[in-house]
Amino acid sequence: MATGRIISGRMLLLTFMVICLVNHVNAQDVYAPYRQNWLKKAEQYKPVLKETVKQPFGIVKLEKDASAFQGWKTVSAGGMDQLYNKPFNKGTSGIVVDFGEHMTGYCTFTLKTLRSDMDAPLRLKLTFGEVPAELATPFDPYPGGLSRAWLQDETVTVSVLPATITIPRRLASRYVKIEWLGSSSNFEFGFSDIQFKATTSVSITPPALAAGTPQIIKDIDRVGSNTLKECMQTVYEDGPKRDRRLWIGDLYLESLANQYSFKNDGLTKRCLYLLAGLANDDGILNANAFEEPVPHAQKSRLLDYCYLFNVALKEYVTATGDVETGKDLWPVAKKQLDIAKMYAGADGMMDYQKAEREWWVFFDWKDGLDKQIPLQGITIYALNQTYALAKLLGKENEVAEIPAITKKLKEAAHKNLYDKKTGVFVSGTNKQVSYGGQAWMVLSGVATKAEAQKALKTLPSLPDAVRPGAPYMFHYYVAALIESGLKAEAKEAVTTYWGGMVKKGADTFWEVYDPADEFKSPYNFFPVNSYCHAWSCTPVYFIRKYPEIFQQ
């Protein structure tokens, strides 16, 4: 059986590759000579997942608490004997099992007969939650903007006992709420076991932090490492609950954290090759990719993520010395630079309004964020990083124009976006000031060190400054603080922001976190948010790369 499945899987992959070749071998496909090899290499570096069986920690009950995250907490309600040694009939509906940690994988439970004959099927509902409020919030009527099916509730009907049932769907949770929906009134049944087979591609434990590291930093690193571990499956997933796919922006941040923790360079290599092999015929990357039923891209052109592929590749080559892979994927990195040429005006300013009409320009989950400064900044940053990659690969003669283009864009940015009077960079027709805008002006090198420090120090005093909407943009803000030499401020930012999630009970870091609005959701319903999200893991990178800042 196992051999048959392996052969079938390989045949499916080979069939897919043939289809790719048929579809792409034409004059318009810029990657036609490379795709087959890239996809083969992506498959070659697909990891074998480590499986660990997890047992429950105990039974808990949900309690309202205005001071708890999203208004709900759990309190102990006893050991597993509360589930295993008592009938589970109508009167015991709603038991919550706590596994004590976030897990990604498959849930299995075993049911047994306690009294009388099973003269009718029994039906149970299981709801899996990453945070307590998920279990306390009715899912229906569903108001969210994403598919209702992302919510992790499953109805199970059983006709014969004893029975062992495995939920076929992969799940991501810490808690399982079990509800009785129906069974014969003369019949008693119970649970004899419930367990979780957790999966990850991580196989090592990162080195311990320095002994004198503050406890809150140790806690942030632990939760960040757990977040990364859960998202490291057969690709770098953005979130194991949702969306469960490879996104370039998440890949970049996960790979940074991985370099300083789990050191699974093969996974980074796999993801880079997979994205390259699934690029559009015109050479522009798609923002994300699926693995099943065969590798394929979702047709989404996200401008800033295309740039970040180049940065991720440069960081990979720098960290590993794997120049061969860098040269192999150089055509992709080089091609993404066409975006800069496409939107750079004669005056050196990026046409951000046109770009927003023609692309998804992301940067942050933040309504109202003006994208002019971030687009100008990330374009300069990507040009700088790609030129650095070219030098690593001995390819700088192929992009000899980059320094001149970069210089023109930097000078134009400083001339048009810097407000000398206030000492901050302003974006768009409304002269918006944002944390993200300052961050990208710092990381791109547009701001001098003195200007960078002044702008970043000024931000907290500006009540209308647009703050980051998610840990994703907060990463770049912290990176800018470090880049500008504001080490104490960087440590404080990490301690306050990610430490805030730790203090609110986070096992893994969340997709969206606004300290002023715990119910914020880009999808109009907070339970569908991801509470284990890849782009939130980067304190691991900061804490371990800069021990002189964070481990003292």
Side-chain angles (χ1 to χ4, degrees):
M1 290 292 290
T3 302
R5 285 197 297 269
I6 292 170
I7 293 173
S8 298
R10 287 175 177 168
M11 289 299 295
L12 192 63
L13 178 65
L14 290 172
T15 301
F16 171 72
M17 289 178 176
V18 170
I19 293 170
C20 283
L21 289 174
V22 171
N23 288 339
H24 292 297
V25 176
N26 56 64
Q28 295 178 340
D29 181 10
V30 300
Y31 299 142
Y34 313 113
R35 288 186 189 274
Q36 182 181 26
N37 188 46
W38 288 344
L39 290 170
K40 282 182 177 178
K41 288 185 177 180
E43 184 67 13
Q44 177 185 343
Y45 287 98
K46 184 176 181 178
V48 175
L49 295 181
K50 178 184 177 183
E51 298 179 349
T52 306
V53 175
K54 305 283 187 176
Q55 300 292 340
F57 182 76
I59 304 298
V60 295
K61 62 179 180 179
L62 302 171
E63 287 190 356
K64 282 187 176 183
D65 185 343
S67 64
F69 179 59
Q70 296 176 338
W72 288 92
K73 68 178 181 180
T74 61
V75 296
S76 176
M80 288 307 298
D81 59 317
Q82 299 296 310
L83 180 66
Y84 293 155
N85 295 332
K86 294 183 178 180
F88 194 97
N89 286 356
K90 186 174 182 179
T92 56
S93 182
I95 282 183
V96 177
V97 176
D98 180 5
F99 279 83
E101 61 181 315
H102 188 283
M103 305 165 299
T104 300
Y106 299 88
C107 181
T108 297
F109 60 93
T110 300
L111 300 173
K112 59 187 177 182
T113 297
L114 296 179
R115 183 179 66 83
S116 190
D117 294 315
M118 188 179 182
D119 57 356
L122 68 88
R123 181 168 292 166
L124 300 171
K125 180 179 179 181
L126 285 78
T127 305
F128 300 84
E130 295 180 301
V131 294
E134 281 184 271
L135 304 181
T137 304
F139 290 169
D140 299 300
Y142 177 64
L146 298 178
S147 169
R148 163 67 171 79
W150 281 121
L151 296 172
Q152 299 180 117
D153 55 339
E154 300 289 331
T155 298
V156 178
T157 301
V158 183
S159 298
V160 179
L161 291 187
T164 297
I165 298 101
T166 297
I167 304 296
R169 170 184 180 181
R170 200 195 75 182
L171 301 154
S173 69
R174 169 175 171 168
Y175 305 101
V176 185
K177 181 170 70 172
I178 308 170
E179 299 174 87
W180 176 92
L181 296 182
S183 62
S184 171
S185 59
N186 297 318
F187 170 70
E188 286 187 354
F189 70 95
F191 283 77
S192 58
D193 183 62
I194 183 169
Q195 59 182 237
F196 211 95
K197 184 173 70 177
T199 66
T200 179
S201 63
V202 168
S203 59
I204 69 168
T205 300
L209 302 181
T213 304
Q215 187 60 48
I216 186 61
I217 296 297
K218 289 181 179 179
D219 290 341
I220 292 170
D221 180 76
R222 171 180 51 80
V223 176
S225 296
N226 287 340
T227 305
L228 179 60
K229 171 181 67 70
E230 294 291 277
C231 293
M232 288 174 67
Q233 299 293 324
T234 48
V235 294
Y236 285 119
E237 294 186 0
D238 60 330
K241 181 179 89 173
R242 202 223 82 241
D243 302 313
R244 296 175 53 172
R245 71 192 75 147
L246 170 64
W247 286 83
I248 297 175
D250 297 86
L251 153 69
Y252 169 50
L253 298 187
E254 286 176 279
S255 65
L256 290 180
N258 172 67
Q259 286 175 18
Y260 291 89
S261 56
F262 301 120
K263 301 184 184 300
N264 188 346
D265 297 324
L267 188 63
T268 303
K269 190 170 183 175
R270 165 173 165 75
C271 293
L272 291 169
Y273 272 115
L274 193 59
L275 289 163
L278 299 174
N280 293 291
D281 286 357
D282 63 1
I284 299 300
L285 290 161
N286 288 293
N288 70 84
F290 298 91
E291 294 183 274
E292 302 293 345
V294 291
H296 64 286
Q298 184 178 46
K299 295 299 182 180
S300 56
R301 297 165 78 101
L302 201 163
L303 192 152
D304 32 316
Y305 278 21
C306 289
Y307 282 150
L308 291 175
F309 178 91
N310 293 20
V311 185
L313 180 58
K314 178 257 181 181
E315 291 290 341
Y316 168 79
V317 174
T318 301
T320 63
D322 185 0
V323 173
E324 180 183 353
T325 295
K327 288 182 177 179
D328 214 7
L329 296 177
W330 171 248
V332 183
K334 183 180 176 182
K335 189 64 179 176
Q336 304 317 299
L337 298 183
D338 286 354
I339 299 168
K341 301 171 186 176
M342 194 182 308
Y343 295 102
D347 61 352
M349 293 299 295
M350 296 292 289
D351 189 342
Y352 72 102
Q353 293 177 331
K354 182 181 179 184
E356 286 197 280
R357 289 194 302 270
E358 297 176 353
W359 290 71
W360 180 10
V361 183
F362 177 59
F363 288 109
D364 193 15
W365 280 131
K366 188 69 175 184
D367 293 337
L369 175 66
D370 190 276
K371 309 292 177 62
Q372 182 185 31
I373 282 183
L375 179 57
Q376 189 82 13
I378 199 173
T379 299
I380 297 167
Y381 183 72
L383 287 167
N384 286 332
Q385 294 288 305
T386 307
Y387 194 67
L389 173 63
K391 289 196 289 185
L392 286 170
L393 304 177
K395 300 283 188 179
E396 60 264 46
N397 63 309
E398 296 185 21
V399 287
E401 74 281 7
I402 284 183
I405 297 173
T406 303
K407 183 174 183 291
K408 185 175 183 178
L409 266 61
K410 286 178 68 174
E411 290 175 349
H414 200 278
K415 175 183 176 182
N416 293 288
L417 303 175
Y418 187 58
D419 186 336
K420 293 181 180 179
K421 184 177 180 180
T422 59
V424 295
F425 291 85
V426 296
S427 185
T429 56
N430 294 327
K431 307 297 182 184
Q432 183 187 87
V433 178
S434 69
Y435 280 65
Q438 311 315 301
W440 280 114
M441 288 293 94
V442 173
L443 295 173
S444 63
V446 171
T448 66
K449 187 171 184 177
E451 290 168 346
Q453 290 191 355
K454 182 176 182 180
L456 293 170
K457 287 182 176 180
T458 299
L459 278 174
S461 67
L462 302 177
D464 294 331
V466 177
R467 298 184 63 85
Y472 179 66
M473 178 59 85
F474 215 92
H475 164 87
Y476 294 104
Y477 169 61
V478 173
L481 289 170
I482 294 172
E483 181 71 20
S484 62
L486 297 177
K487 298 179 180 180
E489 289 83 352
K491 185 175 183 178
E492 177 63 21
V494 169
T495 302
T496 301
Y497 188 72
W498 279 277
M501 285 186 264
V502 170
K503 291 176 181 177
K504 292 177 179 180
D507 301 296
T508 50
F509 288 129
W510 309 323
E511 174 186 15
V512 180
Y513 176 54
D514 183 345
D517 181 7
E518 294 181 350
F519 301 96
K520 181 177 180 179
S521 174
Y523 321 110
N524 200 41
F525 190 53
F526 71 90
V528 82
N529 286 5
S530 169
Y531 293 96
C532 175
H533 211 75
W535 70 26
S536 306
C537 73
T538 53
V540 173
Y541 164 71
F542 293 128
I543 291 167
R544 291 175 177 272
K545 182 176 182 179
Y546 303 103
E548 72 280 6
I549 299 176
F550 295 97
Q551 296 186 43
Q552 296 181 3

